[in-house]
Amino acid sequence: MTVRLARWSAEHPWRAIALWVVFVVVCFVAGNAAGLKEATSSDLAVGESGRAEVIVAAGDFTDPAVENVLITPRDGTLDMTAARAAADDAADRLRTVSGVASIGEPVPARDGSALLLPIVMSGDPETAPDRVQPLRDATAGVQDVHPRLRVEQVGSPSINKALDDTLGADFKRAELLSLPVTLAILVVAFGALIAAGVPVLLALSSVAAALGLSTLASHLVPATDATASVILLIGMAVGVDYSLFYVRREREERAKGRTGLDAVEIAAETSGHAVVVSGFAVIISMAGLLLAGDVLFSSMAVGSILVVAVAMIGSLTVLPALLAKLGRWVDRPRVPLLWRLTTPRTGHHGAPARPRFWPAVLRPALRAPVATLVVSVALLLALAAPALSMKLKSPGIEDLPRSTPAMQAYDRLTAAFPSNGTSHTVAVRAPAAEADRVRAALTDLAGRADADPLFASTEGAGPKIEVSADRQVSVLSIATPYPGRDDRAVQSLRKLREDLVPASLGGIPGTEYAVGGAVADSEDYGRHIEEKLPIVMGFVLVLTFLVMTWTFRSVVVALSSILLNLLSAGAAYGLLVLVFQGDWAEGLLGFTSMGAIVSWLPLFLFVVLFGLSMDYHVFVVSRIREGVRAGMPNREAVAYGITSSAGVVTSAAIVMVGVFSIFATLSTVDMKQLGVGLAAAILLDATIIRAVVLPALMTMLGERNWWAPRFLRARSAPAPTAPPTPTPELVGQR
């Protein structure tokens, strides 16, 4: 099939290119016309915290956006007279600012260390961050008049605006860097600008088409904020990989003297076939996310499956057309030094020249496979061992970057007024006739919590109870003085769920209640991931094993593929725990350790790494099988397969490592963990796994690599192109 598609595209290049352009445009336009359906809070609900969010949403509360002017001393104790004068000045200025609905009375901290002036904003709370700047300007004016005090504004709108500005700049920088980094690495890999541009062009067009298709699919599986980012991440990775494999093989065949059409056909039969197999392997891996029972992962799965399928189709259709139309122009304009280094060289009588670097790397694996295998696997297992102590938590507001004045002001606010920090939400739904009993029960609950050191005092303000207009939903906020990642915050959540809330509300008939909030979200989501990870892993492992067994007609190859990818994923997990659960790397990477790994990362990391690693594995093992089919002894076939694929696998890996490393420079800890985890895992997989463990294992197994039950055994077939004779000093004794 891959050869027939490539032949038709190469013989009718303009038709193939035109059809591809039409396909991309139609997908993109249709998606925009259909509109995006985003996931709601009920779609995203997980565990008891999710039920709490659903109950709160049913109350249809219209809470206004609230800001605060916080007045603290620059040093020493607070002069309350001067602080009240500054608060009066701030109130006078803010009353004249558009967007201010009301200003409350100044509230002193219990220890006298601060004074707080609450401000209620008018308008839609969702747009408050876009309208908060005039309030911040007015507060800055108060600061100028009262230089001996620290006068600053803090609240959800100003924090969100500061984070949007910081994170927006982060992601903009990442987007601006990723494309030049990819192009630069590809120029080094190919030594020619057009050859470097072809993979990027295919990847970008695949992403555009998949974005449109995912918008259409959102009407079946609602999209989340992460969907488009995952499509871009996976699309650029596989799009560049598939094109890189194809283009490098086509250039290799042309260097051997084959015509353009013959070179395209051989590339389709070898690299094209590997692209199809690895594409289905990635699709299977990403489909495993659908079993997580979580809209976030389901939307990621749908987006990833679509972009991989589109990239796979493009590499089998429009890519052969482009290569056929460009011909030898694909190697222009050449970068002189890089061109000489990357061009497939030939020796005497037109035979390919023997490589030097990779034979040296492979020599231990081929000459002493058992010892090499034991040592390398032991090192990887040692690296994976810390993963056994992995803890999962969702990042909270305390894990956001502290580089902005708004977050620094927030820390001072929660220190002076603990009830404004981490809080739990007790959501209750009951018949309207029971509203008074519910309110009395919640008031009693708040009083008992106020007397418990696990909870923050309300400082005389009374319980924060909201009741919906239909009197069926009541919500109580109970604060804890501890950060969300603190074990005592988790203890306060458990005390509410297991003791205080059931004791207060359990006797009211027809009552549904749940405890939510940031701490509950983290705990429930971490438990959800721990429950779903084995299911997803089992699904991915079983289906990948079946696909690899059928593709290579070998149970041993399929089983070794699974084991090697598990080893790679385990090492990546261990490295994440080493770097991010401790604090030794904080200064190096610019983060504050949360003592845990972000809850969603292990599941997402597993399926992405398993899929992308299979790209390399299928490509390398396919080249080894070519050698076996050409009649080479097993050791020579392993040497041929590794050395002939090492350059392209290394280039593809460097592209991914370069792009993923950019994520490690972002401000938030979840993006840093994602970037480090992906970059490190791909680097380990393309080097130690593929260049040391794989050749040692396949050399040790010998002919047993290709064992399969009789019904699976395929008839022998010639290699698509005669492999070169391996380097004698590399192979050694047969």
Side-chain angles (χ1 to χ4, degrees), residues 668-707:
T668 58
V669 68
D670 53 347
M671 290 295 104
K672 286 184 182 293
Q673 290 187 9
L674 176 65
V676 170
L678 287 173
I682 294 296
L683 187 61
L684 286 171
D685 191 82
T687 53
I688 298 177
I689 297 289
R690 305 302 161 204
V692 180
V693 181
L694 176 64
L697 178 62
M698 296 193 75
T699 301
M700 182 185 73
L701 291 174
E703 297 301 321
R704 293 185 293 273
N705 282 305
W706 313 104
W707 180 87

Side-chain angles (χ1 to χ4, degrees), residues 38 41 61-66 121-132 156-158 160-161 164 225:
E38 295 189 80
S41 59
F61 295 102
T62 55
D63 295 329
V66 177
M121 294 182 64
S122 59
D124 184 359
E126 295 294 326
T127 63
D130 301 326
R131 300 180 285 106
V132 76
S156 294
S158 55
N160 288 338
K161 176 175 174 53
D164 287 345
D225 293 339

Side-chain angles (χ1 to χ4, degrees), residues 168-538:
D170 270 358
F171 283 107
K172 187 174 182 180
R173 185 180 72 251
E175 291 169 0
L176 291 175
L177 284 175
S178 60
L179 194 58
V181 166
T182 302
L183 274 172
I185 295 170
L186 289 174
V187 168
V188 173
F190 284 114
L193 297 182
I194 293 179
V198 168
V200 174
L201 184 63
L202 177 65
L204 290 176
S205 60
S206 299
V207 168
L211 286 172
L213 291 173
S214 70
T215 304
L216 294 172
S218 70
H219 294 273
L220 298 175
V221 178
T224 63
D225 293 339
T227 306
S229 299
V230 170
I231 289 174
L232 180 61
L233 182 73
I234 302 297
M236 289 301 296
V238 299
V240 168
D241 268 10
Y242 295 166
S243 302
L244 191 58
F245 295 162
Y246 209 108
V247 173
R248 283 292 287 264
R249 188 56 186 262
E250 189 267 350
R251 291 178 74 201
E252 181 182 320
E253 297 303 325
R254 278 196 292 106
K256 295 176 182 177
R258 301 186 188 276
T259 64
L261 185 58
D262 287 343
V264 168
E265 285 190 6
I266 292 172
E269 188 177 356
T270 53
S271 294
H273 178 71
V275 163
V276 172
V277 175
S278 63
F280 277 111
V282 177
I283 288 173
I284 288 170
S285 294
M286 301 310 297
L289 290 176
L290 296 171
L291 299 180
D294 180 343
V295 168
L296 175 65
F297 285 123
S298 295
S299 66
M300 289 181 178
V302 170
S304 301
I305 289 169
L306 288 172
V307 76
V308 171
V310 171
M312 185 170 61
I313 293 170
S315 66
L316 299 178
T317 55
V318 72
L319 185 57
L322 284 171
L323 293 176
K325 195 65 186 173
L326 289 170
R328 296 193 177 274
W329 277 96
V330 76
D331 294 330
R332 307 292 176 88
R334 299 170 179 174
V335 181
L337 175 61
L338 295 176
W339 170 255
R340 288 195 297 272
L341 293 174
T342 59
T343 303
R345 293 175 294 173
T346 56
H348 297 295
H349 310 296
R354 292 171 179 171
R356 295 180 180 178
F357 175 75
W358 289 107
V361 173
L362 283 174
R363 191 173 293 116
L366 297 178
R367 290 187 174 178
V370 176
T372 303
L373 186 64
V374 169
V375 171
S376 57
V377 170
L379 289 174
L380 289 171
L381 288 175
L383 185 57
L388 297 174
S389 62
M390 180 185 291
K391 299 176 183 177
L392 300 181
K393 285 187 180 181
S394 296
I397 193 168
E398 64 273 13
D399 299 305
L400 294 171
R402 259 43 191 178
S403 56
T404 61
M407 291 310 304
Q408 295 165 10
Y410 173 81
D411 289 339
R412 284 186 280 270
L413 171 68
T414 55
F417 300 90
S419 61
N420 285 277
T422 305
S423 63
H424 307 294
T425 301
V426 181
V428 186
R429 180 157 46 193
E434 303 291 343
D436 292 336
R437 288 186 65 186
V438 170
R439 187 176 188 89
L442 291 177
T443 302
D444 177 66
L445 170 61
R448 285 194 284 167
D450 203 39
D452 193 311
L454 285 174
F455 302 96
S457 171
T458 58
E459 299 167 4
K464 299 178 181 179
I465 301 175
E466 290 184 278
V467 181
S468 63
D470 61 5
R471 292 170 55 82
Q472 292 185 15
V473 177
S474 301
V475 179
L476 168 67
S477 292
I478 299 179
T480 177
Y482 308 110
R485 71 164 78 98
D486 194 298
D487 289 340
R488 289 168 294 184
V490 177
Q491 291 174 19
S492 68
L493 170 68
R494 290 174 181 163
K495 186 159 190 176
L496 280 174
R497 285 181 167 179
E498 299 169 7
D499 180 13
L500 298 180
V501 173
S504 298
L505 297 167
I508 303 176
T511 300
E512 176 191 0
Y513 58 82
V515 180
V519 179
D521 284 343
S522 177
E523 290 297 300
D524 292 347
Y525 205 72
R527 193 176 302 112
H528 170 74
I529 295 299
E530 290 172 356
E531 292 172 355
K532 298 297 183 180
L533 184 58
I535 298 172
V536 173
M537 289 180 68

